[in-house]
Amino acid sequence: MYNSIQDTLIIGKKVIYLPSCHSTNDIAAEIVHAGLFTEGTVVITDHQLSGRGQRGTNWVANPGENLTLSVVLTPTFLPIQDQFLISQTIALGIKAYLEKYISGVEIKWPNDILVNRKKICGILIENTIQGSKLNTSIVGIGLNINQIYLENDLATSLSGETGSELTLGDEFAALIRCLDAAYLQLRSGNRIAEIRSAYMNSLYGYAEEVKFSYKDRVYTGTVIRVNELGLLSVRLSNGDELTDLGIKEISWIRN
Ligand code: BTN
């Protein structure tokens, strides 16, 4: 069902398709642990039984309607303190893929992908480290493609946005090509500033006020910075600033 992609340089040349599995990130981790991979190997399933999300949540998607996959990367060229660049690069690759169909694509810090303010894709990146460098990075992607009924009102799918049903195999190939192109930019080493500024310019809340909760209070403000470590700074509507927040410190409120 999902073919390996031969016209990319790194990602998707080897594709492992499992009709069902517990979590593609876990399968990818097992493959890495066993040393049985080349960089860019993709694990993809039609039916993920225990998909994992950020902050210990579950990722649930209707079987056979969406893209549920993990990519194994070996970004050994990146110092540990630059690991957020992987998140930024992958988010931009997914955004580029979606923009072939639709506008209104934004990245919600740190790396959710929104279309018209609704979540269409979640990313779970799990890194291993060796010394002061990154060793492997498992990039898990859950992208809603043909699922029309989503439990969460603040979620959407590509077909929900475009009105047409898509062929998963074709969308897989198109997505992988965009991820490969984005990763090649990162690997080239001379496009880092470009990646960081494209990420900032794509951020939900960067150019306009949005709502979020912090320490049990609701605030309105704009994103002013995401630093190299991936920590977020916001300017509140009263002019105060909250700086260098981690993922567990704030929750966005979209309505
Ligand atoms: C999130 O938004 O919370 C991240 C969701 C990530 C889900 C994907 S689906 C493929 C891969 N395998 C997993 O168990 N999780 C990721």
Side-chain angles (χ1 to χ4, degrees):
M1 167 135 196
Y2 297 100
N3 299 318
S4 57
I5 319 289
Q6 290 316 325
D7 58 1
T8 53
L9 277 182
I10 298 170
I11 301 181
K13 300 190 96 61
K14 180 168 180 199
V15 174
I16 300 171
Y17 165 64
L18 302 167
S20 75
C21 72
H22 42 104
S23 152
T24 55
N25 266 39
D26 292 347
I27 301 284
E30 285 166 22
I31 290 166
V32 165
H33 195 66
L36 297 171
F37 71 99
T38 49
E39 181 169 38
T41 296
V42 178
V43 179
I44 182 161
T45 189
D46 275 332
H47 189 186
Q48 188 169 243
L49 304 165
S50 332
R52 295 189 288 109
Q54 289 173 26
R55 311 188 204 197
T57 56
N58 298 325
W59 182 260
V60 181
N62 282 0
E65 297 184 9
N66 303 295
L67 289 176
T68 305
L69 60 97
S70 302
V71 182
V72 180
L73 299 174
T74 50
T76 50
F77 55 90
L78 278 181
I80 295 169
Q81 64 272 19
D82 284 344
Q83 60 187 289
F84 191 64
L85 277 168
I86 300 171
S87 251
Q88 294 174 302
T89 300
I90 296 299
L92 288 169
I94 296 169
K95 177 172 180 269
Y97 158 72
L98 290 169
E99 283 176 340
K100 292 181 192 293
Y101 291 100
I102 35 180
S103 55
V105 183
E106 291 176 303
I107 302 169
K108 182 165 72 67
W109 176 84
N111 58 12
D112 283 348
I113 311 294
L114 307 181
V115 174
N116 298 324
R117 299 288 152 100
K118 293 187 167 189
K119 181 164 170 175
I120 195 166
C121 178
I123 305 172
L124 178 68
I125 299 183
E126 297 178 302
N127 295 327
T128 62
I129 281 156
Q130 198 158 48
S132 60
K133 299 261 180 183
L134 282 170
N135 187 27
T136 59
S137 186
I138 294 172
V139 177
I141 298 173
L143 176 55
N144 299 334
I145 300 284
N146 286 326
Q147 186 169 336
I148 293 296
Y149 299 103
L150 293 134
E151 268 181 31
N152 188 335
D153 282 352
L154 292 174
T156 191
S157 66
L158 197 44
S159 119
E161 295 297 314
T162 60
S164 36
E165 189 171 331
L166 297 151
T167 305
L168 288 180
D170 294 347
E171 299 320 306
F172 170 69
L175 171 67
I176 293 298
R177 290 189 182 106
C178 289
L179 293 176
D180 190 65
Y183 188 57
L184 289 174
Q185 284 197 3
L186 177 64
R187 281 207 3 164
S188 75
N190 54 15
R191 311 275 295 271
I192 304 297
E194 220 176 297
I195 293 171
R196 288 193 169 122
S197 90
Y199 175 85
M200 285 311 299
N201 288 320
S202 308
L203 271 188
Y204 166 75
Y206 187 50
E208 65 185 301
E209 288 205 325
V210 289
K211 263 196 207 165
F212 57 90
S213 69
Y214 171 72
K215 294 195 172 162
D216 297 327
R217 280 190 57 187
V218 173
Y219 294 91
T220 305
T222 51
V223 172
I224 49 172
R225 188 171 57 250
V226 174
N227 73 10
E228 296 184 359
L229 297 173
L231 300 174
L232 177 86
S233 298
V234 286
R235 181 172 298 122
L236 305 180
S237 44
N238 68 5
D240 289 351
E241 288 182 12
L242 300 174
T243 52
D244 297 343
L245 305 174
I247 182 173
K248 293 192 174 135
E249 292 184 85
I250 79 160
S251 301
W252 301 106
I253 301 173
R254 285 174 290 142
N255 43 30

